[in-house]
Amino acid sequence: MPNVPPLILAIGDSLIAGYGLAAADSFPAQLQSSLQARYPNVSVMNAGVSGDMTADVLRRLPRLLSSLTQLPALAIVQVGPNDVLRQAPVVCTRAQLGQILLSLRNCGIPVILTTVEPPALLRDRAAAYLGIHAALAAEHGATIWPFFPPGVLGHSEMVLGDRVHPNAKAIGAVVAALRPVVERMV
């Protein structure tokens, strides 16, 4: 069987989709570009949808997986901040995220589950959600990793005009921090 170039599935919310960024500046595009020296034909599929909550990702995951022509070597899952912002029931967020991880595991797809540290002004609102990602990653054999490396969150030069979403420079820092983990898993 010929050696198939790796496919990485990046699925989640606006942080994956690249809200407010040019397509080439999105997380999947920058990750693909960064990996091409080692994996010349790697493909990172952008399956992010701005505004998605865990329920949305879970709902679209079966159709997405069945549409793929090859099994991803890895899935990077980033979802949860919108659940916090919209105050989705914690029990539902946990159950839906668990189902996402179970679906990927049942397909034999290794997962990097990323987390986002809530900013200080949302820490009380997010308190009940803290630890869900880590607990589920341990339960489902996923690798847990912070989406934003130190020095990115809370810096005005790292966000778009909305003061929330990361700019291309911030996504570059995310990719640089995450790439070694991705390379170990692909």
Side-chain angles (χ1 to χ4, degrees):
M1 182 173 196
N3 192 11
V4 179
L7 169 65
I8 297 171
L9 175 63
I11 187 166
D13 56 26
S14 59
L15 298 177
I16 296 294
Y19 175 87
L21 300 174
D25 291 332
S26 70
F27 170 76
Q30 286 197 47
L31 180 61
Q32 179 173 307
S33 178
S34 176
L35 291 169
Q36 285 184 334
R38 184 165 178 189
Y39 303 100
N41 296 312
V42 68
S43 179
V44 181
M45 180 180 188
N46 187 340
V49 176
S50 292
D52 260 10
M53 297 171 56
T54 54
D56 302 308
V57 171
L58 179 60
R59 187 174 19 264
R60 62 188 177 84
L61 186 60
R63 185 176 332 138
L64 173 65
L65 291 173
S66 67
S67 74
L68 298 175
T69 57
Q70 80 180 73
L71 187 68
L74 176 66
I76 300 170
V77 178
Q78 167 46 56
V79 67
N82 291 320
D83 291 63
V84 173
L85 291 173
R86 296 182 191 144
Q87 292 290 275
V90 174
V91 67
C92 292
T93 296
R94 188 182 198 295
Q96 292 156 349
L97 187 56
Q99 281 301 120
I100 292 166
L101 295 176
L102 181 62
S103 295
L104 292 166
R105 187 179 76 193
N106 285 345
C107 290
I109 304 168
V111 175
I112 295 174
L113 179 61
T114 64
T115 60
V116 175
E117 184 67 27
L121 66 112
L122 292 176
R123 198 148 332 231
D124 288 343
R125 189 175 195 174
Y129 300 86
L130 297 177
I132 289 175
H133 285 66
L136 288 171
E139 183 179 325
H140 292 279
T143 297
I144 191 84
W145 196 261
F147 188 80
F148 293 109
V152 172
L153 286 179
H155 295 282
S156 60
E157 69 276 3
M158 295 288 208
V159 292
L160 298 174
D162 67 4
R163 297 178 18 199
V164 173
H165 290 92
N167 62 21
K169 180 180 177 182
I171 293 299
V174 168
V175 167
L178 190 57
R179 189 181 74 218
V181 178
V182 170
E183 287 179 342
R184 283 193 301 270
M185 295 180 70
V186 171

